[in-house]
Amino acid sequence: MERVPEASNGHIRLTSHPGSRGPARFPLRWGAATAAERGPVIATVNARSHRNAIGAHGGSYSIYRALAISSGAMDPQARPDLQDTAPVCDIGPHPQWGEPGRIVSLDPWGHRVAQDFAGLIAEGLDIRPSIAITRARLTLPEIRDAIAAGRLQVDGEIVHEAGDVSVTKIAVDPVWWLPGVAERFGVAEGSLRRCLFEQTGGMYPELVTRPDLSVFLPPIGGMTLYIVGDPVFLGDAAKTLTCRVHDECNGSDVFGSDICTCRPYLTHGIEEATRQAQAGGVGLIVYNRKEGRALGEVTKFLVYNARKRQPGGDQAATYFERTECVAGVQDARFQQLMPDVIHWLGIRRIDRFVSMSNMKYDALVSGGVEIGERVPIPDYLVPPDASVEMEAKKAAGYFTPEGAPSDEALRSVIGRDLGQF
């Protein structure tokens, strides 16, 4: 909501888009071939009538910005100094940026605003990046183990003596083009808008009052990409690409909880990506902030308790059922939007896809991305306490080298309608 002085009657305007609804100075033409044709996404509250998007920059972190302002720790008119913040490498433009329907959940020009809209920024408009690109090194004990076992070699360029790996790191905040998101999910845009409005407790009234605004910056987590090797190779058909798409699991990824295979599969993906880069190809890790199948960590821990306390203990046959009993749905990650970042990188083929998930595989293939080899997690990386998870996922149709079980076998194990998986 816009920070405005109280009116004489003690009320404030309950909208983040004050002023008239006349023709916008910066109409957005999503999918245009150039940044100038598409126009800047302006979602800063101090832009007032120039705003052409619903929501605010920073996703869920916009709430912390509000706290900083309300406590007096931050000037509400503060603007970022973008000097020397430019990407460390070029990404795009790629043909997919202008192909209809390819990218609907992020701004493909979001890392180039200081370059493409420099004149408008100098004029005084507060236009902010939604993507940032930098370089870093990953230091993981599993990488040191791989070096010690001879699976990775120290080369001084990609893998260093200390056991760290050089990467290009990219942060992406979500920017949704609502007509395209609605089409992906096969729903009417109006229905999507109303549901978003109602299920956020009416946080964004413009979803239902401003149909002329088609871009929404949702208050959710974004994603981080880790590229091992030269980023230019990502769109090069002559270079082999190994990729893992990973959904956040804080307990395993960070703290090493052994009830699931998340960290082992993540670090296995990093090792495979690193080996690919050392062989002259390129590796990619896509890390999505979708904790607990996008149900949240509180729900996930409640499900853990429910699974382990049921008669007979934790069982593959009731693995998904217990999640649905608590959360109302088995999985809310809905991979329909996931391929967008692959298109943003200019990728049309993933040679080695380090994932057993058919949801991810199907989303990529239906989105026009060709998949070569599928790489499962090795058995030796599966913690004993995670065996129930693996059995349940395989029964639900997860890819295995031997092939998926039959429909009859699936029903006997999970007792559910296969369409839910």
Side-chain angles (χ1 to χ4, degrees):
M1 185 174 68
E2 182 200 10
R3 185 182 175 92
V4 295
E6 290 191 0
S8 58
N9 60 3
H11 296 106
I12 59 174
R13 290 189 294 256
L14 293 179
T15 177
S16 57
H17 293 76
S20 67
R21 296 193 188 185
R25 180 184 173 190
F26 303 102
L28 291 171
R29 299 178 179 86
W30 201 265
T34 67
E37 291 176 280
R38 202 288 306 277
V41 173
I42 305 175
T44 44
V45 294
N46 55 21
R48 296 184 178 272
S49 62
H50 291 314
R51 280 171 58 89
N52 58 10
I54 304 166
H57 283 287
S60 56
Y61 294 100
S62 63
I63 303 302
Y64 289 103
R65 184 168 64 247
L67 286 176
I69 292 171
S70 67
S71 67
M74 180 179 178
D75 181 351
Q77 300 303 318
R79 294 180 51 178
D81 180 354
L82 298 179
Q83 184 175 353
D84 295 329
T85 64
V88 298
C89 67
D90 291 329
I91 298 292
H94 293 295
Q96 290 97 315
W97 295 14
E99 293 175 2
R102 288 292 193 201
I103 300 175
V104 301
S105 63
L106 60 91
D107 178 4
W109 306 95
H111 57 307
R112 296 169 47 106
V113 299
Q115 169 188 344
D116 293 330
F117 304 113
L120 294 176
I121 293 173
E123 183 183 314
L125 263 74
D126 190 354
I127 305 172
R128 303 189 182 188
S130 59
I131 300 175
I133 306 174
T134 189
R135 289 195 177 96
R137 291 190 182 186
L138 300 183
T139 303
L140 300 168
E142 289 87 348
I143 293 297
R144 290 195 289 268
D145 293 343
I147 294 171
R151 298 194 303 271
L152 289 176
Q153 305 297 319
V154 173
D155 57 28
E157 181 178 351
I158 295 174
V159 180
H160 303 275
E161 192 69 40
D164 48 355
V165 177
S166 291
V167 297
T168 300
K169 191 160 81 168
I170 306 175
V172 182
D173 279 343
V175 178
W176 288 6
W177 182 54
L178 291 171
V181 173
E183 184 177 357
R184 287 279 180 91
F185 283 87
V187 300
E189 182 186 347
S191 298
L192 173 64
R193 283 173 172 265
R194 177 158 292 280
C195 198
L196 288 169
F197 169 70
E198 292 175 348
Q199 295 303 314
T200 57
M203 183 180 290
Y204 301 101
E206 295 83 10
L207 286 166
V208 292
T209 64
R210 294 294 302 273
D212 56 311
L213 299 175
S214 296
V215 171
F216 175 42
L217 279 62
I220 60 176
M223 70 183 81
T224 310
L225 316 180
Y226 297 89
I227 303 168
V228 189
D230 192 337
V232 173
F233 293 169
L234 288 171
D236 188 342
K239 301 293 184 180
T240 302
L241 167 62
T242 290
C243 172
R244 170 155 180 81
V245 176
H246 187 91
D247 293 327
E248 177 184 29
C249 177
N250 182 64
S252 179
D253 296 344
V254 179
F255 295 101
S257 171
D258 65 353
I259 197 172
C260 62
T261 60
C262 296
R263 181 181 174 95
Y265 218 158
L266 174 61
T267 58
H268 177 59
I270 293 171
E271 180 181 331
E272 291 291 325
T274 302
R275 186 180 299 110
Q276 192 68 74
Q278 289 189 309
V282 62
L284 171 65
I285 305 295
V286 178
Y287 192 90
N288 290 298
R289 295 309 193 286
K290 294 180 179 179
E291 178 66 58
R293 298 188 194 144
L295 301 171
E297 205 164 35
V298 169
T299 296
K300 182 166 72 170
F301 288 6
L302 294 174
V303 171
Y304 285 166
N305 288 345
R307 282 169 46 193
K308 290 178 177 293
R309 289 172 177 167
Q310 62 188 339
D314 202 5
Q315 305 167 46
T318 55
Y319 178 87
F320 291 105
E321 179 184 356
R322 295 310 297 145
T323 300
E324 187 171 8
C325 286
V326 175
V329 66
Q330 294 177 3
D331 195 324
R333 286 173 294 176
F334 302 115
Q335 302 292 346
Q336 287 94 325
L337 302 178
M338 179 267 290
D340 288 23
V341 73
I342 303 298
H343 294 308
W344 177 67
L345 292 168
I347 296 169
R348 295 194 184 276
R349 173 182 168 85
I350 297 173
D351 299 285
R352 304 182 69 245
F353 186 47
V354 188
S355 173
M356 297 170 69
S357 169
N358 284 349
M359 289 176 63
K360 295 174 184 176
Y361 174 86
D362 292 344
L364 287 165
V365 171
S366 64
V369 179
E370 183 182 353
I371 303 291
E373 177 188 0
R374 299 176 68 179
V375 182
I377 186 172
D379 290 339
Y380 69 85
L381 288 179
V382 179
D385 203 29
S387 60
V388 170
E389 176 203 52
M390 290 303 297
E391 291 171 12
K393 288 181 176 180
K394 289 178 181 179
Y398 264 46
F399 164 79
T400 62
E402 296 77 25
S406 66
D407 287 0
E408 182 179 352
L410 286 172
R411 292 190 185 94
S412 67
V413 172
I414 59 179
R416 310 287 296 182
D417 176 25
L418 295 179
Q420 297 186 53
F421 299 99

